[in-house]
């Protein structure tokens, strides 16, 4: 039985839009490089998203908030350069996006907006996430896209 013609099927013929979440960790940079290679092999569009946790630090002073924002902007520029380099080395184009807010919420919102077929994220490097769950685990549990977790 086939799906009605007007329904969009995500990922049915392999990914055509791949979202890689980056945060500056070693595993997220590996995830971006892996996503770039996957995009090249699949001839897919590659999008990278960075969501700094600056907005989630309530109760900080104005000076501290400004320093955190500036640090996040510098990190975003560096991550965009690294993502561009990884994409160039693998022969693909990449679009880089920065969003503010909760990483899980913003990544899922972005993936929905761009109609992502696949997400690629780095495995958490924090021991505590084994107990309370990491971003990668939350994305997998959402069950809306295939999620590749790169160690």
């Amino acid at each position: 039985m086939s799906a009605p013609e007007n329904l969009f099927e995500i990922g049915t013929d392999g990914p055509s839009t791949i979202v890689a979440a980056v945060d500056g960790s070693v595993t997220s940079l590996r995830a971006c490089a892996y996503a770039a290679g996957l995009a090249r092999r699949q001839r897919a569009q590659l999008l990278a998203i960075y969501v700094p946790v600056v907005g989630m630090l309530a109760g900080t002073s104005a000076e501290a908030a400004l320093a955190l924002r500036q640090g996040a902007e510098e990190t975003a520029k560096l991550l965009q350069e690294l993502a561009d380099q990884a994409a160039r080395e693998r022969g693909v184009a990449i679009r880089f996006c920065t969003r503010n807010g909760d990483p899980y919420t913003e990544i899922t919102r972005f993936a929905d907006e761009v109609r992502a077929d696949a997400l690629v994220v780095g495995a958490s490097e924090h021991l505590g996430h084994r107990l309370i769950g990491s971003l990668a685990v939350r994305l997998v549990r959402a069950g809306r896209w295939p999620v590749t977790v790169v160690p």
Side-chain angles (χ1 to χ4, degrees):
M1 186 159 124
S2 65
E5 289 183 33
N6 61 347
L7 289 180
F8 177 77
E9 294 184 35
I10 296 176
T12 55
D13 292 327
S16 61
T17 301
I18 300 169
V19 171
V22 294
D23 64 6
S25 66
V26 171
T27 59
S28 79
L29 297 177
R30 284 188 204 131
C32 187
Y34 178 86
L38 181 62
R40 180 186 51 78
R41 290 186 301 277
Q42 295 290 324
R43 294 182 175 87
Q45 172 180 281
L46 177 59
L47 309 170
I49 182 169
Y50 168 57
V51 184
V53 292
V54 172
M56 300 178 65
L57 301 174
T60 58
S61 69
E63 295 83 17
L66 177 62
L68 289 170
R69 263 195 308 281
Q70 289 173 336
E73 289 171 8
E74 290 173 14
T75 300
K77 288 178 187 174
L78 176 62
L79 290 174
Q80 182 165 10
E81 290 171 9
L82 292 171
D84 287 342
Q85 178 183 354
R88 260 192 324 275
E89 288 172 356
R90 285 156 182 82
V92 297
I94 189 168
R95 189 174 100 207
F96 189 88
C97 175
T98 300
R99 298 274 179 103
N100 293 308
D102 171 60
Y104 172 80
T105 302
E106 294 305 319
I107 292 167
T108 56
R109 185 177 293 148
F110 181 70
D112 283 339
E113 288 171 10
V114 299
R115 300 186 80 128
D117 296 301
L119 301 179
V120 181
V121 298
S124 175
E125 297 177 322
H126 298 286
L127 181 61
H129 286 166
R130 291 184 185 167
L131 301 174
I132 60 172
S134 66
L135 173 64
V137 169
R138 291 176 66 196
L139 291 169
V140 169
R141 286 186 180 154
R144 292 164 42 196
W145 318 268
V147 178
T148 301
V149 182
V150 177

